[in-house]
Amino acid sequence: MIELYLDTADVAQTKRFNQCLPLQGITTNPTILAKSKQGLNETLKEMQDALGGKPRFHAQVVSTSIEGMVEEARQINELPYDMVVKIPATETGLAAIKLTKAQGIKVLATAIYSAQQGFLAALCGADYLAPYVNRIDALNGNGVEVVADLQLLLDQNQLPAKILAASFKNTQQAMEVMKLGIEAITLPVDVAAAMFAHPAVEPAVAQFGHDWKQAFGDKLSFES
Ligand code: E4P
């Protein structure tokens, strides 16, 4: 089954969606945390309370050198949660991914804008690959096509890396990549909400209520 994440640091929204969706956990990035004005430690603590159980958290390094990323990854991995360390799939990042994986730490290669870049990260041992679907589209590329090509390369080479598709602005983009059979996806809260919000749904449910009340008043179904 696909792993479903929310791409957010918003604890209230996480509580809301955890009630109605089978969330695997949360993904964050430095921009999301900066906007929330709350650091990683406090955010993870509150997210753990909000989600309960054993959620998986994806948190990104902010170091810029190979050694810095590897050490930061080690420290993130020491946090008392199920952590996946996000490392950008740059030249420096790929080197850090190789070294971090040698220590047995779970890694997500992030900031993926092309299939070949994601493929190299998978060869370096990344457990998850995060292609940025909407950002690719916004650059006049085709995010869905990048995900499809990347999945093909993973399959042909029997690589175990999972695509965790990221960066969505609408449900259509999310649907298109899910139809490719990817193994994980992270949605911002507005796109997650739009997944079950069709303009016809509420009127349909209201009509059921109206018809029922007319015939049976306040009785519940089993009382009728
Ligand atoms: C995931 O790894 C990224 O942090 C995130 O999904 C990017 O999303 P955005 O393009 O909406 O910023």
Side-chain angles (χ1 to χ4, degrees), residues 17-37:
F17 284 100
N18 191 49
Q19 282 188 320
C20 62
L21 296 175
L23 294 181
Q24 189 81 28
I26 293 298
T27 60
T28 62
N29 65 36
T31 305
I32 291 172
L33 287 171
K35 279 186 185 153
S36 80
K37 297 201 166 39

Side-chain angles (χ1 to χ4, degrees), residues 45-206:
K45 194 172 160 297
E46 291 182 12
M47 287 295 189
Q48 174 65 57
D49 291 345
L51 291 166
K54 276 195 164 289
R56 176 162 284 191
F57 297 123
H58 296 249
Q60 191 165 329
V61 298
V62 292
S63 300
T64 52
S65 67
I66 299 172
E67 301 71 29
M69 286 181 184
V70 173
E71 175 55 19
E72 194 176 342
R74 202 183 60 74
Q75 300 277 357
I76 290 174
N77 187 56
E78 295 281 297
L79 296 173
Y81 311 102
D82 179 8
M83 297 303 301
V84 179
V85 181
K86 293 175 71 176
I87 301 179
T90 57
E91 179 176 350
T92 309
L94 290 176
I97 289 171
K98 281 179 72 176
L99 293 168
T100 303
K101 280 312 300 172
Q103 296 181 39
I105 293 169
K106 292 192 288 294
V107 169
L108 176 146
T110 195
I112 292 175
Y113 284 79
S114 71
Q116 61 269 26
Q117 183 199 4
F119 181 53
L120 294 181
L123 288 176
C124 287
D127 303 276
Y128 291 91
L129 310 168
Y132 285 7
V133 178
N134 183 67
R135 293 199 198 189
I136 295 169
D137 287 351
L139 292 168
N140 289 328
N142 186 328
V144 176
E145 217 167 87
V146 167
V147 173
D149 287 348
L150 182 53
Q151 188 64 64
L152 181 73
L153 289 168
L154 295 178
D155 293 344
Q156 283 176 338
N157 290 271
Q158 293 171 13
L159 287 162
K162 295 179 182 180
I163 293 181
L164 190 160
S167 178
F168 294 99
K169 283 294 163 281
N170 58 63
T171 58
Q172 185 64 25
Q173 291 167 326
M175 275 302 294
E176 291 302 320
V177 296
M178 286 193 291
K179 284 195 291 186
L180 297 169
I182 55 162
E183 294 176 89
I185 192 166
T186 186
L187 299 173
V189 291
D190 58 332
V191 177
M195 296 289 271
F196 49 75
H198 188 286
V201 173
E202 291 301 338
V205 176

